[in-house]
Amino acid sequence: MNKRELELYLHIPFCIRKCAYCDFLSFPAPERLYKQYVDKLIEEIYGQWKNFQQYRVTTIFVGGGTPSILPGELMEELFAVLYECFDVAEDAEITVEANPGTLTMEKLEVYRQSGVNRLSIGLQSADDQELKYLGRIHSYDEFLKSYQRARQAGFTNINVDLMSALPGQDLHSWKTTLRKVMMLKPEHISAYSLMIEEGTPFYARFGEDGCAGCSSRDEGDQRIQTGRDIKGTDMNLDALPDLPDEETDRAMYHLTRELMAAHGYSRYEISNYARAGYECRHNKGYWTGVEYLGLGLGASSYTFNHRYHNTEDLAEYLSLDLSQAGAAAQDIQELTLEERMEEFMFLGLRLMDGVDGSLFLERFGQNMWNVYGDVIRRLESRGLLKVELPKVQLTELGIDVSNVVLSEFLLDEGI
Amino acid sequence: MALVDQKKIRNFCIIAHIDHGKSTLADRIIEMTGLLTSREMQSQVLDNMDLERERGITIKSQAVRTVYRAKDGEEYIFNLIDTPGHVDFNYEVSRSLAACDGAILVVDAAQGIEAQTLANVYLALDHDLDVFPVINKIDLPSARPDWVENEIEDVIGIEAHDAPRISAKTGLNVEDVLEAIVEKIPAPAGDPEAPLQALIFDSLYDSYKGVIVFCRIKEGTVKKGTRIRMMATGAEEEVVEVGYFGAGQFFPCDELSAGMVGYVTASIKNVKDTRVGDTITDAKRPCQEPLPGYKKVTPMVYCGLYPADGAKYNDLREALEKLQLNDASLFFEPETSIALGFGFRCGFLGLLHLEIIQERLEREYNLDLVTTAPSVVYRVHKKNGEMIELTNPTNLPDPTEIEYMEEPIVRAEIMVTTEFVGAIMTLCQERRGTYLGMEYMEETRALLKYDLPLNEIIYDFFDALKSRSRGYASFDYDMKGYEQSTLVKLDILINREEVDALSFIVHADSAYERGRRMCEKLKEEIPRHLFEIPIQAAVGGKIIARETVKAMRKDVLAKCYGGDISRKKKLLEKQKEGKKRMRQVGSVEIPQKAFMSVLKLDDE
């Protein structure tokens, strides 16, 4: 029988210390909570798996927070339950996110034994001063040790997370970070331009002007409720140097692509670079409409044509009867055909490969050019899109101002 | 033989400064004269439009007839004629007063006399009305009735020692007011057998009855079948119905005769034919002369109204037509703007009138509007001897053709407590006022008199007045006339294209300052585009100020994973929504509210 494709995301909300820019659902917690939480996560898996017997799991991503904060045996138990409950493909891509400073040899070996075949290590910068400004808990040296340990443990697919446009960063220092990391030849590099998110100490320091997506935020947006008091940070925010200006930010971004290309990494998504064959399958699934089941606190899902996410309140999550599938689900939204077409476009265009008109036709039974022809031609004439039939892609300029471009693909009601 | 004994009629109005309790007293009078039970009472019977109630003012005048059984055992007919409470509607106030024989002056026991109190009293005295005062709100802890009584006698010069001291809110002593109406307001005069002479003080359009004309019969009698003529407009129709208005409904009757107040319907289609102030007479037996005081009300303030959605142009036209049926002072004609497309140039009595119409269009007709900066009517004298009344800055002739220009001037009276006199004088200087004089009403209050250009007060003068006097100043004005002035047209160029809807006329001395602030304001309002946008202010083709909206280099969401998708979509939706509220001028998208920027130039 031909099974449908499913991706699994597991959220581990714990970290050692919250970074000053971070608006993810993560927080430090007493260690006794780790076990309690993983037990609950297992309860949720047991509650859910029956609904997905028609599916084959092609990727698993354990994200956070800092998943590598968990003791090895908890991670081992978690994976054992996953394999017990789900039909995980032989060649599944299985990633665990890790932070330098938490990655011991023992844990790495447990991961390997549990089938984990990809590590994603959060470095952000190779400059210790910049790391300090970010509120990271590790130095570049500690990262190096973790990285080498991972290689020793046998990991052949490693991603390193980097961030540009950091406080006080200039083009030279960014170049240095890139060079240092590329020398290590990780298979994959994510390089994000720093986003100043509302509710973070960075937001308090840099404010709205530095804030990329905040204008869209509803006040009640639950993502903000990370239960953290900005004043609680031990960082002196006033001591933070300024952010690079927009021109520098873009110069860094454009430099990234050139340097990466010169070292054999190709950009396949706005902020993601990989050596041939090492693109992150899990993340690509998000951009191409693959169904995914999110498990754990706050985790988002897209299954059976519905988008929803779990509660972001830890106490609530721990108290719910998760053996009932969907007990933690909130903001459940069924997607209309139009919404699916919109997502196809605005998510698909994040990929450098762009969107494919023939796939559009196959998926929705409608011609992409009938639905979006005018928009595409208009944006093409402004140099924001390029069309290579049957594909449509963002141009370099289009990437820089992609929100402007992508918003054009939202349909008016009642087409 | 008249059906009603003239001696038992009392035609009166209530005059007061805003918020001194006019409507509340009217409610009480209606309630206590027993025409309505308490249960039927809405809180403010006279104000029958929601909008008016919210603003606490009365827009259209109306007459209510009630029956009062006085202490002398007789039944009296009270015709309470309501008057609009804002300077925009001064002319309508004057016509309502002309329909009365007396007036009740309501003064707030805590506030005392205000600028509008004075203006209204003088207006009433001009119409030979007998005015008697009532001191209201004596239930307030801050009430100072003795002090107010003295003030009325000293400042206005009318007897106040026996003024009823009441609380219209609680009903306390309101009966004294009813008795005072019987005693102090004279019965009307007039001969029911004389040729018909009736004063129109209000009219409204009803889809069943056509235009309903409210009038005061000065001489003669009108009944069903009378062929009537409006002496100023010349319109003639046969009367279909006469009657009176009793709290909330129409009561037809057989005839209206001299001294009575009531309504007439005659299948008239448009309120334009029944102008307030006009005289109704019998077409077959006309009176010699129309009643004095008629004037055609002309709009004082103009602005462009455009549908936010161009497809709603016809809806806007229909809505304006409907409003105009009831509001002869509302003027509109089609106009086109390069920036805003098809819309209407509309004329209003004042800024409040403009706001009321705008709100009604948006609320009652569900229209989303773009409004251009309001402008007064300038007189442009051309070298060829021609004179143009300019209502739209865009139509200003080439400067080489202009001999000189004139602008409307108002005579303003501002009442203010002495501690703020300095601040208010400064404000009036800033607004190019000519100081005429100051009178002390009493130790702590002064009445400032200024001539002010109307275009300096239509935007935000009232707000500025309130804020600089911590709310203590009150203000009233009258049109004085036109005076020559050095005026220029300030043009705004966005991305080097002139935006017609943003042009405005300004005094030459303030052109630079206003141009600079306008550019700054627009810089805040116009979002960044993919290219740099110069914003320039120009007078006569010469650039006098410039700002630049920097190009947007970056608008990208670096991360978008599984948990970000719903949020990302919200962001894009917001972006798209924002774009819908933009107007495309050349390649620049200008938010609709930017077209009102000129109104906010004085924001600190």
Side-chain angles (χ1 to χ4, degrees):
Chain A
M1 196 186 84
N2 216 346
K3 284 192 164 185
R4 289 169 70 176
E5 188 180 353
L6 182 72
E7 304 194 327
L8 293 181
Y9 175 82
L10 284 83
H11 192 69
I12 309 296
F14 308 117
C15 58
I16 289 173
R17 189 179 73 194
K18 187 93 176 161
C19 299
Y21 59 88
C22 171
D23 85 324
F24 285 132
L25 185 58
S26 67
F27 39 82
E31 282 182 36
R32 59 179 166 78
L33 270 182
Y34 299 170
K35 166 107 177 85
Q36 204 185 337
Y37 180 79
V38 170
D39 284 348
K40 212 62 195 172
L41 201 46
I42 288 169
E43 182 178 308
E44 193 185 1
I45 295 168
Y46 281 133
Q48 284 281 16
W49 72 272
K50 289 178 221 71
N51 295 325
F52 296 93
Q53 285 168 296
Q54 308 305 316
Y55 286 81
R56 173 159 297 142
V57 172
T58 53
T59 70
I60 301 174
F61 197 104
V62 185
T66 302
S68 55
I69 204 171
L70 293 183
E73 64 268 22
L74 286 182
M75 196 67 95
E76 193 174 9
E77 194 185 348
L78 198 54
F79 274 105
V81 175
L82 284 175
Y83 294 129
E84 176 196 338
C85 293
F86 290 97
D87 174 12
V88 181
E90 285 284 313
D91 63 345
E93 174 195 274
I94 301 172
T95 309
V96 170
E97 269 185 344
N99 264 352
T102 57
L103 214 44
T104 60
M105 198 60 193
E106 181 219 333
K107 284 181 189 171
L108 285 163
E109 274 162 7
V110 171
Y111 296 168
R112 292 288 300 147
Q113 282 153 22
S114 298
V116 177
N117 51 27
R118 187 170 181 270
L119 267 191
S120 176
I121 308 179
L123 167 61
Q124 317 312 350
S125 170
D127 182 306
D128 284 346
Q129 182 59 55
E130 287 170 8
L131 288 173
K132 238 176 225 161
Y133 288 147
L134 291 173
R136 302 288 296 178
I137 56 162
H138 57 85
S139 63
Y140 178 63
D141 230 37
E142 281 167 300
F143 160 79
L144 271 182
K145 284 180 188 134
S146 296
Y147 183 86
Q148 278 149 5
R149 231 175 265 145
R151 286 293 194 213
Q152 278 166 27
F155 281 96
T156 56
N157 187 356
I158 298 180
N159 166 58
V160 177
D161 273 349
L162 296 177
M163 287 200 302
S164 61
L166 303 179
Q169 192 177 47
D170 59 19
L171 208 54
H172 175 77
S173 119
W174 172 237
K175 210 174 187 171
T176 308
T177 287
L178 279 177
R179 285 225 168 95
K180 282 185 176 173
V181 171
M182 287 186 299
M183 266 162 47
L184 301 172
K185 297 193 176 6
E187 285 66 33
H188 190 285
I189 298 174
S190 295
Y192 308 100
S193 176
L194 172 69
M195 289 162 73
I196 305 298
E197 303 284 1
E198 229 171 310
T200 63
F202 268 25
Y203 187 81
R205 163 67 176 84
F206 299 112
E208 215 166 332
D209 288 344
C211 177
C214 56
S215 61
S216 71
R217 282 297 181 81
D218 290 340
E219 301 236 327
D221 195 321
Q222 295 180 355
R223 282 185 54 101
I224 302 168
Q225 297 171 359
T226 46
R228 184 172 41 118
D229 183 0
I230 290 171
K231 291 181 210 114
T233 179
D234 50 5
M235 186 184 299
N236 178 7
L237 292 173
D238 295 331
L240 281 176
D242 287 338
L243 295 174
D245 60 23
E246 260 181 24
E247 309 285 332
T248 313
D249 174 299
R250 286 298 93 187
M252 287 177 179
Y253 183 77
H254 296 137
L255 172 81
T256 306
R257 187 184 68 101
E258 287 160 27
L259 275 185
M260 292 273 201
H263 287 78
Y265 295 90
S266 73
R267 181 176 66 198
Y268 68 96
E269 192 260 359
I270 291 178
S271 305
N272 284 286
Y273 304 79
R275 278 157 51 191
Y278 286 99
E279 298 174 355
C280 176
R281 282 158 55 195
H282 182 83
N283 286 341
K284 276 181 86 172
Y286 290 140
W287 301 313
T288 52
V290 176
E291 286 177 279
Y292 55 93
L293 175 64
L295 299 158
L297 187 69
S300 294
S301 299
Y302 172 50
T303 60
F304 308 109
N305 208 29
H306 285 73
R307 289 201 180 276
Y308 57 92
H309 66 86
N310 281 349
T311 175
E312 293 169 355
D313 178 333
L314 181 64
E316 188 189 359
Y317 181 80
L318 294 176
S319 68
L320 287 168
D321 176 9
L322 296 177
S323 61
Q324 303 298 311
Q330 293 181 346
D331 295 340
I332 303 164
Q333 279 184 309
E334 182 169 11
L335 298 187
T336 61
L337 174 67
E338 285 76 23
E339 286 172 318
R340 285 167 57 216
M341 293 196 280
E342 290 169 356
E343 287 189 355
F344 181 91
M345 300 306 286
F346 77 69
L347 294 173
L349 280 169
R350 290 189 69 89
L351 291 164
M352 297 305 108
D353 215 21
V355 290
D356 185 329
S358 44
L359 196 58
F360 188 98
L361 182 65
E362 185 183 311
R363 201 170 290 182
F364 307 116
Q366 293 193 43
N367 188 323
M368 183 169 89
W369 295 93
N370 289 343
V371 182
Y372 286 118
D374 290 347
V375 175
I376 293 171
R377 275 183 286 271
R378 195 168 65 239
L379 292 167
E380 187 188 16
S381 74
R382 290 167 68 190
L384 298 166
L385 286 181
K386 56 175 179 274
V387 178
E388 278 170 39
L389 291 172
K391 287 186 175 177
V392 178
Q393 300 162 343
L394 287 175
T395 60
E396 283 296 315
L397 178 62
I399 292 170
D400 290 342
V401 294
S402 57
N403 289 339
V404 176
V405 180
L406 300 181
S407 67
E408 296 280 335
F409 287 94
L410 296 185
L411 297 163
D412 290 322
E413 280 163 45
I415 57 154
Chain B
M1 255 293 281
L3 298 170
V4 178
D5 182 359
Q6 233 181 36
K7 292 194 188 66
K8 301 285 166 58
I9 298 176
R10 296 293 180 271
N11 298 321
F12 63 95
C13 59
I14 306 172
I15 55 180
H17 187 73
I18 191 162
D19 286 342
H20 280 198
K22 186 177 80 170
S23 298
T24 317
L25 178 59
D27 285 354
R28 273 322 142 253
I29 291 174
I30 292 163
E31 190 179 52
M32 293 173 75
T33 46
L35 191 91
L36 287 177
T37 64
S38 301
R39 208 156 42 85
E40 287 170 327
M41 288 293 295
Q42 276 182 295
S43 64
Q44 293 196 345
V45 173
L46 289 181
D47 294 6
N48 64 4
M49 279 189 268
D50 285 349
L51 190 61
E52 293 173 33
R53 189 159 309 165
E54 274 172 36
R55 287 166 172 265
I57 51 160
T58 310
I59 301 161
K60 296 290 285 183
S61 39
Q62 279 171 354
V64 179
R65 181 183 129 137
T66 67
V67 177
Y68 174 60
R69 196 179 303 273
K71 286 182 180 156
D72 63 7
E74 299 283 341
E75 274 195 343
Y76 289 86
I77 290 171
F78 283 2
N79 286 308
L80 168 53
I81 295 164
D82 196 23
T83 53
H86 190 273
V87 62
D88 279 8
F89 306 103
N90 257 352
Y91 178 68
E92 297 192 9
V93 175
S94 88
R95 294 305 86 199
S96 296
L97 293 175
C100 301
D101 301 302
I104 305 172
L105 169 67
V106 179
V107 184
D108 184 311
Q111 308 274 335
I113 290 169
E114 301 276 2
Q116 268 180 9
T117 317
L118 272 188
N120 285 327
V121 170
Y122 293 148
L123 211 53
L125 295 176
D126 283 348
H127 288 88
D128 288 330
L129 300 190
D130 286 359
V131 178
F132 77 84
V134 165
I135 299 170
N136 189 24
K137 304 197 189 179
I138 58 160
D139 55 322
L140 290 182
S142 53
R144 297 177 294 169
D146 292 336
W147 172 78
V148 172
E149 185 183 300
N150 283 331
E151 195 184 39
I152 295 171
E153 295 194 339
D154 294 350
V155 175
I156 307 179
I158 58 176
E159 286 243 319
H161 70 274
D162 58 350
R165 296 181 176 192
I166 66 162
S167 165
K169 198 170 114 195
T170 65
L172 178 70
N173 297 337
V174 174
E175 209 161 299
D176 296 348
V177 180
L178 301 178
E179 286 296 317
I181 293 168
V182 172
E183 282 165 32
K184 297 197 171 178
I185 290 173
D191 179 2
E193 307 301 329
L196 176 64
Q197 199 181 28
L199 171 71
I200 301 178
F201 62 86
D202 194 12
S203 62
L204 62 90
Y205 181 80
D206 178 278
S207 46
Y208 295 104
K209 294 181 190 232
V211 174
I212 299 166
V213 184
F214 287 87
C215 57
R216 157 76 190 268
I217 316 295
K218 292 284 191 180
E219 300 285 347
T221 301
V222 62
K223 56 181 87 172
K224 184 175 171 182
T226 308
R227 189 157 185 87
I228 52 168
R229 179 193 304 155
M230 320 296 154
M231 295 182 78
T233 64
E236 257 184 47
E237 278 301 334
E238 199 159 287
V239 172
V240 173
E241 184 179 305
V242 299
Y244 54 86
F245 189 75
Q249 52 184 319
F250 292 97
F251 296 100
C253 64
D254 294 336
E255 60 174 41
L256 296 173
S257 61
M260 294 176 77
V261 170
Y263 72 87
V264 171
T265 69
S267 38
I268 304 161
K269 292 283 178 293
N270 199 315
V271 286
K272 276 181 181 165
D273 291 330
T274 56
R275 295 279 186 165
V276 169
D278 198 357
T279 303
I280 304 176
T281 192
D282 189 331
K284 291 185 183 134
R285 191 163 75 106
C287 57
Q288 297 281 316
E289 293 262 308
L291 293 159
Y294 173 75
K295 64 178 184 189
K296 194 175 170 224
V297 181
T298 49
M300 307 260 276
V301 175
Y302 283 79
C303 76
L305 288 184
Y306 290 82
D309 172 1
K312 294 274 173 76
Y313 174 80
N314 280 324
D315 296 7
L316 176 58
R317 197 193 58 229
E318 280 165 27
L320 283 167
E321 278 167 358
K322 277 186 191 151
L323 289 177
Q324 202 181 42
L325 285 177
N326 251 327
D327 186 350
S329 49
L330 169 65
F331 166 88
F332 68 92
E333 67 182 11
E335 78 172 7
T336 351
S337 152
I338 301 158
L340 298 174
F342 292 97
F344 297 92
R345 175 96 339 208
C346 301
F348 307 92
L349 296 175
L351 207 61
L352 177 76
H353 189 209
L354 183 160
E355 281 173 24
I356 289 167
I357 297 292
Q358 189 185 341
E359 274 193 54
R360 292 189 65 185
L361 288 169
E362 294 191 328
R363 209 185 290 189
E364 292 169 31
Y365 296 92
N366 210 10
L367 290 163
D368 206 356
L369 298 175
V370 185
T371 315
T372 65
S375 167
V376 301
V377 183
Y378 297 96
R379 288 185 179 162
V380 183
H381 295 266
K382 292 171 70 175
K383 286 179 177 156
N384 63 8
E386 198 186 333
M387 193 272 280
I388 300 170
E389 297 218 320
L390 186 77
T391 59
N392 183 347
T394 316
N395 299 335
L396 186 74
D398 190 90
T400 57
E401 295 174 28
I402 299 171
E403 181 80 43
Y404 66 96
M405 284 172 73
E406 290 179 309
E407 64 177 328
I409 306 290
V410 298
R411 182 146 289 177
E413 295 197 338
I414 299 161
M415 189 170 285
V416 63
T417 46
T418 40
E419 55 179 318
F420 298 114
V421 163
I424 299 305
M425 287 178 83
T426 309
L427 172 67
C428 291
Q429 297 298 329
E430 287 166 13
R431 302 302 177 96
R432 298 191 283 129
T434 308
Y435 175 74
L436 300 176
M438 176 166 68
E439 288 166 24
Y440 278 90
M441 312 292 357
E442 53 190 307
E443 273 173 33
T444 55
R445 281 206 297 177
L447 184 70
L448 281 166
K449 295 186 178 177
Y450 270 92
D451 278 353
L452 283 159
L454 183 63
N455 85 349
E456 295 285 346
I457 60 173
I458 56 167
Y459 298 145
D460 59 346
F461 184 75
F462 196 67
D463 291 341
L465 197 66
K466 286 286 173 196
S467 73
R468 294 205 198 176
S469 66
R470 288 201 218 123
Y472 282 115
S474 59
F475 166 61
D476 201 72
Y477 68 82
D478 258 332
M479 261 307 279
K480 184 191 168 214
Y482 275 80
E483 283 178 15
Q484 192 170 334
S485 178
T486 321
L487 300 164
V488 294
K489 181 164 78 115
L490 187 73
D491 294 316
I492 299 294
L493 289 81
I494 292 178
N495 206 23
R496 297 190 176 78
E497 272 189 63
E498 192 178 308
V499 182
D500 57 358
L502 287 171
S503 294
F504 58 100
I505 306 277
V506 62
H507 191 265
D509 290 348
S510 28
Y512 168 73
E513 185 62 18
R514 295 220 139 206
R516 190 179 58 79
R517 286 205 229 146
M518 187 77 181
C519 290
E520 284 169 4
K521 201 83 204 170
L522 286 168
K523 185 187 174 180
E524 286 168 27
E525 300 276 1
I526 296 174
R528 293 197 298 162
H529 283 53
L530 300 183
F531 46 89
E532 188 177 280
I533 304 166
I535 299 169
Q536 296 160 304
V539 170
K542 191 176 152 221
I543 305 293
I544 58 168
R546 177 187 163 127
E547 290 284 339
T548 306
V549 179
K550 283 211 291 182
M552 175 170 65
R553 294 269 174 257
K554 180 196 173 192
D555 184 9
V556 51
L557 209 61
K559 272 186 195 186
C560 183
Y561 296 121
D564 304 317
I565 293 170
S566 298
R567 176 181 146 206
K568 163 91 177 177
K569 192 179 166 194
K570 273 189 204 159
L571 182 150
L572 296 176
E573 271 166 358
K574 202 141 189 172
Q575 200 144 359
K576 188 168 176 183
E577 261 318 297
K579 216 179 147 167
K580 272 191 188 162
R581 290 190 293 269
M582 304 275 188
R583 286 285 171 159
Q584 186 93 23
V585 175
S587 47
V588 180
E589 282 162 345
I590 303 176
Q592 295 180 356
K593 65 179 175 151
F595 292 96
M596 291 289 273
S597 294
V598 67
L599 294 182
K600 299 174 204 132
L601 291 186
D602 293 293
D603 291 358
E604 301 295 321

